[in-house]
């Protein structure tokens, strides 16, 4: 698609909004302020509260914290927890639904302690609970979900220790429900429960025939990894009954996938789940809960569509489809309305964090020019290319110019390998080639029709801005599953962005780049950014990273975790904010230790070599101490690029 870069100079922030579409994915939390800086409204219930992102960055700099940085807005987390719970409460009231909503937050989506604590705290008035999918998660959930009213839901495959922990929690009076993923788990649970004489609460996960659409559609259907078939559910329920534990069966669970893009999948799943619930109820199993799993999607690209990075519904439509869908089936079947559970993770956490990184350089194919004046006896390819570069602004045969230039550039390389063209001549040809391309690009701007091949010129001539971060650490899904995440500059949006850029990271991996951008007209491979000014920092934000991205990063190139800054707003001053917590990112030592290196040993080895040079007299002792200290400082320092020190 074509980029809509405004050509006139009377650029306004409205134009920037049109270009970047911040409001479309910002969900009321992010917008472009009148001063051209990105503004955050962290609490939907308090629209006067506004934080200027640039001010947050200045404060971070003042505190001496190095970029890149993860910013966490705790108020956004709280606001999302409240929004989901309030949506259920009001819909349940409107529908005259008899059950209540008791949601749980699945910690795998973001297990950071501060995140889980904030969610538990914000969810306390609603008895909002937690979901765990592994033993480590269960251990943490046991310690953090202490509200006796809220649910703890246990999914995933379980071993004996896992089951014992669940039974311990029952003993402590928790509402902890073990969701059976495969039949053999039930045998284990029943055996342990009898042995320890503790009554468990049991859920059965149904393998649904409905498939969610989008990247995770494999979570449903016959080949789904988790869940019981209909015949297994009946067998499991009967087995519990025969063991005198029929009344332990409390919950029916299903989860058809994450990031459900199409609301129809939700409607179908609710319908199917409600039917199974109703039949089980009439068989004598008086279940208290129906758990519709996760899947509430995020509109990452702002298109409100069924594209993989979007969704064609809102949170309130999702909630209404669950509540009214359950009610309809239950009323028809004459069974009570069960309490409703959902396990929304992405929807709760995605908005609350973003990554702020600075641009540390730019890469251009045509950045260096050599002297191209004609010399006696030069190769004819140099001469030809010079002619093209000189006439491109006056000729109209664009395609022909493009073809000739490309062909001659290729021929020049062949000739160079055959030792017919010299290195200096090749340099001239390269310079002249790019000059021709820049000329062509200028000429084509005025054209209505641009031949297909020539449309690539914009991309080939675009700058690559080098961002101080690792895609593999901070935006794993953009690489792994082509998830689109919004990227925008955090300031200068009242200036026209004139550079079409792609973004590359500082890893040595050529996959370490972002080349899919959310623009208001669709997804593009380049993003308009501002020209870098010498001596002035330029910061970019990568948004909606709070779900999965925050905690999924890998150790690619040993960059490790980012510095983190937790931002809170002031109740008394709506423009003000404070940074309460700074969590240090990985040091070089940290990441090396994880990979089984011994940083102390490394430092000693380097020091020994330096000492030898000193005793040999090839290094001054004073200088040696300096180098030793420097090596050790680097070991304990941040893994990402440091700004050049001003000397
Ligand atoms: C991952 C997962 C979730 C969370 O899904 P979201 O799409 O992030 O809401 C919920 N339940 C189960 C069983 C999961 O595996």
């Amino acid at each position: 698609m074509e980029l809509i870069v405004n050509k006139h100079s009377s650029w306004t922030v409205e134009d920037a909004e049109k270009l970047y579409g911040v409001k479309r994915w910002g969900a009321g939390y992010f917008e472009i302020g009148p001063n051209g800086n990105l503004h955050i409204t962290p609490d939907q219930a308090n629209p006067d509260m506004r934080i200027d992102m640039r001010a947050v960055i200045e404060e971070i700099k003042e505190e001496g914290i190095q970029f890149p940085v993860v910013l966490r807005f705790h108020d956004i987390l709280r606001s999302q927890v409240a929004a989901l719970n309030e949506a259920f409460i009001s819909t349940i009231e409107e529908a005259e639904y008899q059950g209540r909503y008791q949601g749980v937050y699945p910690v795998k989506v973001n297990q950071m302690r501060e995140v889980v604590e904030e969610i538990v705290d914000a969810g306390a008035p609603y008895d909002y609970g937690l979901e765990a999918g592994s033993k480590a998660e269960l251990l943490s959930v046991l310690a953090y979900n202490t509200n006796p009213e809220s649910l703890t839901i246990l999914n995933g495959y379980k071993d004996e220790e896992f089951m014992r922990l669940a039974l311990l929690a029952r003993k402590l009076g928790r509402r902890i429900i073990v969701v059976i993923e495969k039949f053999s788990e039930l045998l284990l649970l029943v055996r342990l429960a009898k042995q320890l004489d503790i009554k468990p609460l049991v859920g059965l996960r149904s393998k649904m025939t409905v498939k969610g659409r989008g990247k995770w559609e494999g979570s449903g259907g016959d080949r789904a990894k988790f869940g019981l078939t209909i015949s297994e559910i009946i067998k499991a329920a009967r087995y519990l009954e025969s063991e005198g534990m029929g009344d332990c069966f409390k919950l029916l669970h299903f989860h058809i996938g994450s990031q459900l893009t199409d609301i129809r999948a939700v409607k179908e799943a609710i319908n199917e789940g409600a039917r199974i619930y109703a039949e089980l109820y009439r068989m004598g199993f008086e279940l208290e809960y129906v758990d519709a799993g996760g899947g509430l999607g995020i509109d990452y690209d702002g298109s409100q569509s069924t594209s993989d990075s979007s969704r064609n519904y809102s949170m309130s439509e999702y909630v209404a489809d669950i509540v009214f869908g359950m009610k309809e089936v239950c009323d028809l079947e004459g069974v009570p309305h069960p309490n409703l559970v959902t396990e929304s993770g992405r929807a709760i956490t995605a908005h609350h964090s973003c990554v702020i990184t600075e641009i540390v350089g730019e890469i251009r194919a045509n950045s260096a020019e050599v002297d191209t004046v004609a010399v006696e006896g030069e190769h004819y390819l140099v001469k030809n290319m010079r002619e093209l570069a000189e006439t491109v602004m006056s000729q109209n045969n664009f395609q022909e110019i493009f073809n000739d230039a490309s062909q001659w550039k290729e021929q020049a390389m062949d000739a160079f390998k055959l030792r017919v063209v010299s290195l200096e001549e090749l340099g001239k040809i390269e310079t002249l080639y790019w000059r021709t391309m820049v000329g062509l690009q200028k000429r084509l701007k005025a054209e209505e029709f641009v031949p297909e091949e020539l449309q690539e010129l914009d991309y080939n001539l675009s700058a690559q801005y080098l961002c101080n971060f690792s895609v593999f650490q901070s935006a794993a899904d953009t690489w792994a599953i082509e998830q689109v995440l919004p990227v925008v500059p955090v300031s200068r949006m009242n200036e026209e962005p004139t550079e079409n850029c792609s973004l590359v990271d500082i890893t040595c991996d050529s996959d370490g780049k972002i080349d899919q951008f959310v623009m208001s007209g669709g997804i593009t491979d380049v993003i308009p950014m501002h020209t870098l000014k010498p001596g002035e920092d330029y910061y970019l934000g990568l948004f909606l990273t709070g779900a999965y991205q925050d905690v999924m990063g890998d150790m690619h190139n040993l960059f490790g975790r980012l510095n983190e800054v937790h931002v809170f707003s002031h109740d008394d001053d709506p423009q003000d904010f404070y940074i309460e917590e700074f969590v240090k990112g990985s040091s070089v030592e940290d990441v090396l230790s994880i990979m089984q290196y011994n940083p102390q040993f490394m430092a000693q080895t380097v020091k020994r070599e330096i000492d030898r040079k000193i005793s040999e007299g090839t290094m001054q002792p004073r200088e040696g101490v300096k180098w030793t200290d420097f090596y050790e400082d680097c070991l304990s320092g941040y893994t990402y690029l440091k700004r050049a020190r001003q000397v």
Side-chain angles (χ1 to χ4, degrees):
M1 63 143 287
E2 222 180 308
L3 285 174
I4 337 151
V5 179
N6 217 325
K7 288 199 191 66
H8 51 81
S9 57
S10 55
W11 181 266
T12 64
V13 291
E14 282 75 33
D15 296 317
E17 172 57 37
K18 250 184 243 157
L19 178 67
Y20 296 118
V22 174
K23 276 190 190 152
R24 284 164 157 270
W25 52 260
Y29 293 117
F30 304 100
E31 67 179 311
I32 304 169
N35 62 356
N37 294 347
L38 198 83
H39 282 195
I40 303 120
T41 306
D43 180 5
Q44 283 181 341
N46 192 353
D48 292 338
M49 200 182 268
R50 278 173 138 254
I51 297 175
D52 188 318
M53 184 71 101
R54 187 74 212 190
V56 178
I57 288 175
E58 291 310 320
E59 175 122 357
I60 291 169
K61 277 170 44 179
E62 243 159 66
E63 304 224 348
I65 298 166
Q66 283 178 43
F67 289 87
V69 154
V70 172
L71 285 189
R72 274 187 211 295
F73 293 93
H74 284 239
D75 301 281
I76 293 183
L77 268 183
R78 304 187 71 88
S79 180
Q80 284 298 96
V81 170
L84 181 64
N85 279 282
E86 294 294 342
F88 267 103
I89 288 171
S90 62
T91 311
I92 280 173
E93 197 177 294
E94 184 195 337
E96 296 179 1
Y97 190 86
Q98 301 305 312
R100 69 177 288 210
Y101 174 66
Q102 281 214 273
V104 291
Y105 166 68
V107 297
K108 75 148 189 262
V109 180
N110 193 323
Q111 306 96 335
M112 299 283 303
R113 176 181 53 80
E114 295 90 340
V115 171
V116 174
E117 274 178 350
E118 200 68 59
I119 290 172
V120 168
D121 189 62
Y126 310 105
D127 296 329
Y128 193 58
L130 295 176
E131 185 264 6
S134 70
K135 213 185 307 179
E137 286 181 1
L138 169 55
L139 285 162
S140 70
V141 159
L142 278 181
Y144 284 93
N145 190 24
T146 52
N147 176 356
E149 295 304 316
S150 69
L151 294 177
T152 301
I153 306 264
L154 305 181
N155 292 313
Y157 293 129
K158 306 161 193 79
D159 63 3
E160 183 167 331
E161 251 176 24
F162 193 118
M163 296 293 191
R164 280 182 191 273
L165 284 166
L167 291 167
L168 164 68
R170 281 298 293 150
K171 198 89 185 157
L172 300 177
R174 306 283 178 77
R175 288 199 198 193
I176 194 159
I177 303 182
V178 181
V179 177
I180 300 299
E181 306 273 6
K182 73 189 194 333
F183 192 76
S184 57
E185 288 178 354
L186 190 61
L187 303 177
L188 178 62
L189 180 63
V190 168
R191 176 167 65 76
L192 289 171
K194 295 210 156 167
Q195 202 179 321
L196 298 169
D197 193 24
I198 301 170
K199 265 198 146 180
L201 305 178
V202 179
L204 297 183
R205 175 164 179 178
S206 167
K207 199 176 259 193
M208 303 294 272
T209 57
V210 186
K211 283 192 179 189
R213 279 166 275 276
K215 292 276 182 201
W216 284 269
E217 65 174 36
S219 307
D222 285 340
R223 295 292 293 166
K225 193 165 91 176
F226 293 112
L228 307 176
T229 61
I230 296 295
S231 37
E232 283 173 319
I233 289 178
I234 295 169
K235 196 172 133 195
R238 293 281 187 231
Y239 172 71
L240 279 171
E241 199 173 37
S242 70
E243 294 292 322
M245 291 169 68
D247 60 334
C248 294
F249 183 14
K250 293 287 185 203
L251 175 142
L252 178 73
H253 181 280
F254 49 91
H255 169 74
I256 59 166
S258 195
Q259 183 64 12
L260 298 173
T261 59
D262 192 343
I263 190 73
R264 276 180 302 177
V266 177
K267 286 181 202 279
E268 287 169 37
I270 290 299
N271 197 270
E272 187 174 330
R275 279 281 298 132
I276 299 172
Y277 158 78
E279 293 270 347
L280 284 169
Y281 199 93
R282 283 197 307 218
M283 283 164 66
F285 300 100
E286 301 186 351
L287 305 188
E288 287 177 33
Y289 305 96
V290 168
D291 180 347
L296 174 51
I298 289 287
D299 195 0
Y300 292 99
D301 68 15
S303 67
Q304 294 179 33
S305 70
T306 55
S307 90
D308 284 348
S309 297
S310 186
R311 55 169 195 196
N312 66 354
Y313 58 93
S314 65
M315 182 189 274
S316 51
E317 282 172 70
Y318 172 82
V319 170
D321 277 341
I322 293 178
V323 175
F324 283 97
M326 281 303 298
K327 181 181 153 73
E328 195 179 296
V329 173
C330 292
D331 289 351
L332 213 64
E333 308 259 355
V335 295
H337 302 162
N339 294 324
L340 297 172
V341 181
T342 65
E343 304 172 345
S344 296
R346 187 186 297 277
I348 296 292
T349 55
H351 299 96
H352 94 281
S353 80
C354 58
V355 174
I356 304 293
T357 166
E358 77 269 63
I359 304 295
V360 287
E362 60 184 308
I363 304 163
R364 274 173 206 279
N366 58 332
S367 59
E369 291 225 329
V370 296
D371 183 0
T372 58
V373 281
V375 291
E376 198 66 39
E378 69 182 359
H379 194 273
Y380 76 92
L381 283 171
V382 186
K383 208 161 119 207
N384 285 3
M385 199 70 98
R386 184 180 304 105
E387 249 170 54
L388 271 192
E390 280 166 0
T391 55
V392 62
M393 297 315 282
S394 52
Q395 306 281 335
N396 287 327
N397 48 344
F398 304 131
Q399 179 81 50
E400 197 181 328
I401 296 174
F402 179 80
N403 293 347
D404 285 351
S406 309
Q407 199 187 1
W408 291 337
K409 183 159 158 278
E410 262 174 51
Q411 286 176 357
M413 186 36 99
D414 291 339
F416 172 70
K417 287 185 210 154
L418 294 169
R419 306 167 68 194
V420 175
V421 158
S422 72
L423 188 68
E424 289 207 75
E425 282 176 326
L426 193 62
K428 284 184 185 178
I429 288 171
E430 199 181 75
T431 296
L432 291 164
Y433 169 83
W434 285 114
R435 226 180 265 167
T436 309
M437 292 301 133
V438 170
L440 259 186
Q441 188 190 33
K442 276 193 195 130
R443 298 292 309 279
L444 290 170
K445 283 241 159 79
E447 292 297 305
E448 240 164 64
F449 173 77
V450 178
E452 197 177 321
E453 254 185 324
L454 305 194
Q455 288 174 12
E456 283 174 25
L457 263 184
D458 272 344
Y459 182 72
N460 293 341
L461 285 168
S462 70
Q464 290 179 298
Y465 275 14
L466 186 59
C467 306
N468 190 11
F469 85 123
S470 155
V471 163
F472 307 95
Q473 175 64 43
S474 298
D477 280 347
T478 66
W479 169 75
I481 55 167
E482 289 178 22
Q483 162 86 63
V484 180
L485 290 175
V487 178
V488 286
V490 299
S491 52
R492 288 176 66 184
M493 281 188 281
N494 50 356
E495 284 174 46
E496 185 176 350
T498 50
E499 284 300 339
N500 281 338
C501 308
S502 51
L503 301 179
V504 291
D505 74 4
I506 55 171
T507 66
C508 301
D509 198 312
S510 44
D511 267 355
K513 61 177 184 217
I514 297 183
D515 56 4
Q516 275 197 301
F517 298 101
V518 177
M519 293 288 115
S520 53
I523 305 293
T524 63
D525 52 7
V526 288
I527 180 171
M529 293 265 158
H530 302 92
T531 343
L532 303 179
K533 293 183 188 162
E536 197 179 285
D537 296 333
Y538 190 67
Y539 291 95
L540 278 188
L542 182 66
F543 292 88
L544 314 188
T545 57
Y548 303 101
Q549 312 312 302
D550 251 4
V551 289
M552 249 180 7
D554 69 8
M555 296 287 284
H556 199 83
N557 266 167
L558 298 184
F559 280 112
R561 293 198 64 86
L562 272 61
N563 284 333
E564 265 194 37
V565 170
H566 296 219
V567 188
F568 295 80
S569 36
H570 268 305
D571 275 346
D572 35 349
D573 181 355
Q575 310 295 314
D576 206 6
F577 63 90
Y578 59 101
I579 291 175
E580 185 177 272
E581 217 182 318
F582 163 52
V583 184
K584 213 164 179 283
S586 305
S587 68
V588 175
E589 262 168 351
D590 296 339
V591 297
L592 286 174
S593 302
I594 292 171
M595 294 294 164
Q596 302 294 326
Y597 289 91
N598 180 342
Q600 226 178 336
F601 168 80
M602 292 163 54
Q604 279 161 7
T605 309
V606 172
K607 183 170 185 302
R608 210 165 27 235
E609 291 220 16
I610 289 173
D611 287 346
R612 195 158 61 227
K613 293 294 163 203
I614 293 171
S615 59
E616 284 169 3
T618 50
M619 199 188 273
Q620 293 294 321
R622 192 187 295 264
E623 197 191 347
V625 171
K626 254 195 206 160
W627 284 120
T628 310
D629 287 351
F630 172 66
Y631 184 84
E632 284 171 6
D633 281 352
C634 289
L635 271 179
S636 60
Y638 200 20
T639 49
Y640 291 87
L641 299 187
K642 255 187 202 166
R643 303 292 290 175
R645 258 176 293 176
Q646 311 286 336
V647 265

